[in-house]
Amino acid sequence: MFVAAQMTDDRPPQPGAPPPDLGDFGDRLRRAQGQNEPVGPQETGAGGVNAKGMGAAFRIATELIAALVVGAGLGLLLDRWLGTRPILLLVFLALGMASGILSAFREAKRMGAASE
Amino acid sequence: MEEAGHAEHSPLAQFEIHRLIPLEFFGIDASFTNAALFMLISVALITWFLMAATRGQNLVPGRLQAMAEASYGLIAGAVRDNVGTEGKQYFPFVFSLFMFILFANFIGLIPHTFTVTSHIIVTFALAMFIFIAVTIIGLWRHKLHFFSLFLPHGVPIFLAPLLVPIEIIGYLTRPISLSVRLAANMLAGHTMLEVFAGFVVALGIFGFAPFLFVIAIYGLEVIVAFLQAYVFAVLTCLYLSDAINLHKH
Amino acid sequence: MPQMDFTTYAPQLVWLVISFVLLYVLMARMALPRIESILSMRERRIEGDLTEAAEMGRKAEAAQKNFDKVTSETRARAQKLASESRAAANTAQLARMAKKDAELAEQAKKSDAEITAARNKAMGSLRDVAADVAQAAAEKVTGSRISRDVALQAIDAELKARG
């Protein structure tokens, strides 16, 4: 049955038959033209991966610790330069913590936006 | 990964650097090490892969060519989406960076190999280069206006003394978090694999359960190897975007 | 931890720079231009195929339009021909009928004339007979013969009076 159906579909148009319908040709062509657009952002996804959750937690932890380390380093440097030890170290530790939380927050927001 | 059966063999032994050919230029130790060897292997494999895949220049790509085109499309898309058309001139750099990290990560997953990207100095050097380059690009394009990056839009001016240091710390944190993230992922993943592979060997016939676990971790590590390379490339794009477009992400 | 062995940093950095610069040059000069050329070639090819398909579609549409036009033209001509021939047939018929009518009218006129002539002739002989009868009657009654002219005059007057 399937073969027969296929064969009837492939039959060339009869000489006396009305010319083939051009109605959907334009639609199909437009669809094909749409597909030839350069690669869009939807093709650039890294793929839905379960490891993302673990990676996200790790990334946020890295962000927090790194900011704290940078804050502490800046504080120590400024303390040594201005001779204010340990005031600026404490101040910059706090700022580092805030910065870490801020960038972790931004990271989370970005990941949320990316997963949508 | 090194053989893990011996008690005196630490899981960290796989990260050791051996000087294969001791060299010195102008007082700098430039010895050809196993790390150097695997860096060159990565470069050779990337080049071979891309050149062999595109040799036919086929209109309808085969599997290899499709992979080469997919890697191109992935990074081209990341640069275009995050930086815009002005990022085009930096595309070869981001692509090289992505492929280098990706191949270094993947090669490291083969037993008895060395993982270039598990060394913080390597990832830190890459991150630091990006950090300095991005800062120079930003200063060169926007002159002093570049520092508006540290004061988010729509923030009351009395908060500036608090927010500007926080943003500066955030900016300076970039190379550290970028490099630590990659190196720590590689270090942790490979150490974990080594440890559980050790269990498999030590338990002999009873090592069946850890063996399954090793396979699961291995699959996870393959994904992590790819994701870390991609994240490194995307973050590079975001930093470039900050320097070029000056607005906050 | 091998990562914290600072003596390995220098050789790692040196070879990182060497291999990454090498990779960058290989990518920027060889691999990426090749991939780009493949991609743009494919895009051009697909673009070309699509425009060709659009062109073909336009041609097919034009052919169909032409087909439709020729068909409707032919139909119109056929209709015109049919109506023309019908009209021609009509006029021929009318002409024939008019001719027949004329012929009939002619014949009718001729017949009329013949009838009139016959009647006149009959009337003429009737006058003669009446004159004869009148002469004979007058002779019989009066005993004198009246002239033929008088008899005819009297008959004509009488005929006129009667219409």
Side-chain angles (χ1 to χ4, degrees):
Chain A
M1 281 302 283
F2 175 67
V3 173
Q6 231 180 9
M7 278 171 71
T8 50
D9 278 345
D10 291 343
R11 210 160 43 189
Q14 300 294 308
D21 188 20
L22 286 167
D24 72 328
F25 177 79
D27 293 338
R28 279 186 292 146
L29 183 66
R30 262 188 297 284
R31 236 176 297 137
Q33 277 165 336
Q35 275 165 4
N36 194 29
E37 302 290 294
V39 191
Q42 69 271 17
E43 276 94 353
T44 62
V49 178
N50 240 354
K52 263 184 178 169
M54 211 176 101
F58 190 83
R59 219 180 297 172
I60 286 170
T62 315
E63 212 73 57
L64 286 171
I65 295 166
L68 212 59
V69 168
V70 169
L74 270 181
L76 275 176
L77 271 175
L78 288 173
D79 265 341
R80 189 176 294 171
W81 182 41
L82 301 170
T84 51
R85 193 181 301 211
I87 298 164
L88 286 179
L89 172 63
L90 294 175
V91 168
F92 271 81
L93 265 178
L95 287 174
M97 202 182 293
S99 170
I101 291 166
L102 188 65
S103 41
F105 175 71
R106 278 184 188 143
E107 186 97 15
K109 213 167 67 177
R110 193 165 56 221
M111 284 187 293
S115 68
E116 265 157 30
Chain B
M1 277 180 287
E2 297 290 318
E3 213 76 53
H6 316 290
E8 73 272 19
H9 228 122
S10 147
L12 295 178
Q14 59 172 323
F15 304 116
E16 272 167 14
I17 304 267
H18 308 289
R19 285 174 177 75
L20 305 177
I21 307 168
L23 289 170
E24 203 181 296
F25 289 108
F26 312 111
I28 297 168
D29 181 7
S31 300
F32 191 76
T33 61
N34 53 342
L37 175 66
F38 278 95
M39 287 173 192
L40 290 181
I41 288 175
S42 295
V43 171
L45 269 181
I46 294 164
T47 310
W48 172 82
F49 161 65
L50 290 177
M51 295 316 278
T54 56
R55 189 173 41 216
Q57 311 221 359
N58 296 317
L59 279 179
V60 180
R63 207 186 323 173
L64 262 188
Q65 191 181 321
M67 279 166 72
E69 287 175 16
S71 56
Y72 181 99
L74 185 72
I75 300 307
V79 172
R80 191 179 47 237
D81 296 347
N82 292 306
V83 191
T85 46
E86 295 214 53
K88 211 176 163 162
Q89 53 183 315
Y90 306 111
F91 169 67
F93 172 75
V94 180
F95 184 78
S96 305
L97 190 67
F98 171 71
M99 292 304 268
F100 186 73
I101 296 170
L102 183 72
F103 271 66
N105 292 355
F106 275 157
I107 290 169
L109 282 174
I110 301 165
H112 301 289
T113 57
F114 177 85
T115 316
V116 173
T117 43
S118 68
H119 273 259
I120 185 73
I121 183 63
V122 172
T123 60
F124 187 70
L126 291 173
M128 214 51 207
F129 175 75
I130 293 160
F131 176 78
I132 293 169
V134 158
T135 307
I136 289 171
I137 290 168
L139 279 172
W140 178 65
R141 288 181 82 100
H142 303 288
K143 312 292 180 232
L144 287 178
H145 196 60
F146 173 70
F147 292 105
S148 73
L149 197 62
F150 300 125
L151 189 64
H153 292 295
V155 167
I157 197 72
F158 65 88
L159 277 176
L162 188 64
L163 276 174
V164 169
I166 287 178
E167 290 290 339
I168 290 175
I169 291 173
Y171 191 77
L172 295 176
T173 306
R174 284 172 174 187
I176 296 176
S177 59
L178 191 60
S179 55
V180 167
R181 179 185 301 136
L182 174 58
N185 262 291
M186 291 304 113
L187 179 65
H190 287 78
T191 309
M192 196 153 66
L193 273 177
E194 188 77 45
V195 167
F196 281 95
F199 284 169
V200 175
V201 176
L203 290 174
I205 190 82
F206 301 108
F208 185 64
F211 180 67
L212 287 183
F213 198 65
V214 165
I215 290 179
I217 296 177
Y218 197 87
L220 191 70
E221 283 307 305
V222 170
I223 296 165
V224 167
F226 169 78
L227 274 184
Q228 285 305 318
Y230 184 64
V231 162
F232 206 99
V234 166
L235 284 174
T236 303
C237 290
L238 286 174
Y239 298 161
L240 263 175
S241 169
D242 273 352
I244 291 171
N245 307 316
L246 267 196
H247 52 63
K248 280 303 196 177
H249 39 266
Chain C
M1 199 167 168
Q3 276 82 355
M4 291 297 138
D5 180 359
F6 300 121
T7 61
T8 67
Y9 281 14
Q12 286 199 79
L13 290 175
V14 167
W15 285 97
L16 175 66
V17 170
I18 291 172
S19 44
F20 194 80
V21 168
L22 179 66
L23 178 68
Y24 181 84
V25 171
L26 286 170
M27 293 298 106
R29 292 281 156 82
M30 281 170 65
L32 291 177
R34 203 141 104 177
I35 297 176
E36 265 153 31
S37 89
I38 292 173
L39 291 179
S40 70
M41 192 167 72
R42 179 176 309 135
E43 204 181 318
R44 266 204 311 276
R45 172 69 185 275
I46 294 175
E47 191 104 351
D49 282 358
L50 286 174
T51 47
E52 200 182 330
E55 183 63 27
M56 297 287 232
R58 247 195 316 279
K59 271 188 193 153
E61 222 162 282
Q64 179 149 44
K65 223 169 260 167
N66 195 37
F67 174 84
D68 288 347
K69 200 175 129 216
V70 169
T71 312
S72 65
E73 266 176 17
T74 310
R75 193 171 299 132
R77 212 160 52 214
Q79 255 161 5
K80 201 172 137 214
L81 267 176
S83 68
E84 265 174 15
S85 67
R86 211 175 304 129
N90 262 349
T91 46
Q93 181 86 1
L94 281 176
R96 225 166 25 239
M97 271 161 72
K99 200 172 149 212
K100 209 79 179 173
D101 276 358
E103 271 173 23
L104 285 173
E106 185 79 1
Q107 211 150 14
K109 218 156 88 188
K110 224 159 77 189
S111 306
D112 259 7
E114 273 167 14
I115 290 166
T116 314
R119 205 181 65 194
N120 283 351
K121 207 169 138 198
M123 281 301 220
S125 45
L126 187 73
R127 202 162 145 250
D128 277 347
V129 171
D132 284 350
V133 169
Q135 272 179 315
E139 206 173 317
K140 276 271 181 27
V141 170
T142 60
S144 68
R145 212 179 142 86
I146 60 164
S147 79
R148 189 155 182 97
D149 287 342
V150 173
L152 279 174
Q153 261 175 9
I155 286 162
D156 283 345
E158 193 66 16
L159 276 173
K160 212 170 254 163
R162 292 197 183 188

